[in-house]
Amino acid sequence: MPLQKIAEGIQAGLDGRGFDGSLKFDCGPDGVIVLADNHASTQDRDTDCALRLSTEHLQQLLAGKLNPMTAVMMGKIKISGDVPTALKLARLLG
């Protein structure tokens, strides 16, 4: 699934919910999805926090099939930057 479709799904999930801060899903050569100002886009920019993961793991994470904490411990997700921002995302997904 292209990242644009995933970004649209994230945007739909954000409607009516607040997300403070900015976060980037960095899927390497597939591209990025940036959450900032309650908007999901595929335009790269600097963010408070970045999560490096494969597109497959991103899809599993968003579908609730991949536990964020377990994924970090197993090395499927690498976090850089402001970790509390990543924790806010975990609550939003949960």
Side-chain angles (χ1 to χ4, degrees), residues 2 9 11 13-14 22-23 25-26 35 38 43 46-47 50 56 61-64 69 73 75 77 84 87-88 90:
Q11 184 64 49
L14 281 175
S22 59
L23 184 138
F25 294 107
D26 182 349
L35 300 181
N38 280 331
Q43 297 292 338
D46 288 336
T47 56
E56 178 185 350
L61 179 71
L62 296 174
M69 297 305 165
M73 288 187 282
I77 298 175
L87 296 175
K88 287 184 214 171

Side-chain angles (χ1 to χ4, degrees), residues 20-23 46-50 80-83 85:
D20 294 329
S22 59
L23 184 138
D46 288 336
T47 56
D48 299 332
C49 180
S80 59
D82 186 50
V83 174
T85 300

